Amino acid sequence: MRLTLSRRKLSLYLGSDSGAAAVEFSFIAPLLILLIVGLVDMGNYIRNRMKLEQISRASVDFILQGGEEANIQQEVLTYYVGEEANTYALSTERICTCEDGVAHECGAITCGQGDHSRQYVQVSVDKTFSTLFPYPGIPSEISLSGSARMRLD
């Protein structure tokens, strides 16, 4: 009688599915966590990329409204990123072209008869993006850049 009772209990435990979900979750949980962290990292990457584009457009607009190129770091970057402004590399360039689109030094060359030199200002902003942790096959530091170019005259 005791032997049949043990066999009955053993068959109940072996046929039970009550712990299967917990075991399956323990296999899947690390992958889900990695996926969520990766999505957060990707979101941060996209947000930083969009911020660089926004800063470069705002910098060009600042110059077009009469701001000094030397004050972009202080005025524009500080407004958008606050104390992190020193982690961004900002460069400005003035470009002059004729109607054919060939760039030349501003003020040095006059264009052909009936044409005039077009002056542009270009602002480039660079920053290094670091991932939360290293992913296999993806560098942990990615160089981001944003640029904007607008005609002055």
Side-chain angles (χ1 to χ4, degrees):
M1 181 152 187
R2 201 161 187 240
L3 186 59
T4 46
L5 187 60
S6 298
R7 283 186 184 169
R8 199 175 306 154
K9 283 185 178 182
L10 184 62
S11 66
L12 284 175
Y13 287 122
L14 292 177
S16 175
D17 292 347
S18 62
V23 171
E24 290 172 1
F25 181 74
S26 68
F27 285 128
I28 299 297
L31 294 175
L32 289 176
I33 291 170
L34 182 64
L35 182 66
I36 289 170
V37 170
L39 287 172
V40 168
D41 235 357
M42 180 64 81
N44 284 335
Y45 169 79
I46 292 170
R47 183 176 53 85
N48 280 313
R49 181 75 189 247
M50 289 171 59
K51 186 181 283 189
L52 285 176
E53 292 292 330
Q54 185 179 18
I55 290 170
S56 62
R57 285 192 301 268
S59 299
V60 167
D61 193 41
F62 178 75
I63 293 171
L64 286 175
Q65 292 181 14
E68 295 290 324
E69 292 178 27
N71 295 340
I72 292 175
Q73 186 88 15
Q74 178 184 352
E75 299 287 333
V76 178
L77 273 176
T78 304
Y79 175 78
Y80 279 98
V81 294
E83 294 178 9
E84 293 180 14
N86 58 354
T87 62
Y88 291 79
L90 189 131
S91 63
T92 61
E93 180 182 12
R94 292 196 182 250
I95 303 167
C96 293
T97 64
C98 291
E99 184 178 28
D100 57 4
V102 176
H104 60 80
E105 191 174 323
C106 295
I109 297 177
T110 58
C111 296
Q113 188 175 0
D115 192 13
H116 65 281
S117 180
R118 292 148 183 85
Q119 187 175 13
Y120 298 88
V121 65
Q122 181 167 333
V123 176
S124 299
V125 185
D126 301 317
K127 182 181 179 7
T128 301
F129 173 75
S130 299
T131 59
L132 293 174
F133 65 90
Y135 298 99
I138 299 174
S140 60
E141 289 191 346
I142 302 168
S143 180
L144 299 178
S145 65
S147 65
R149 182 177 182 177
M150 205 170 267
R151 187 173 169 174
L152 291 177
D153 54 356

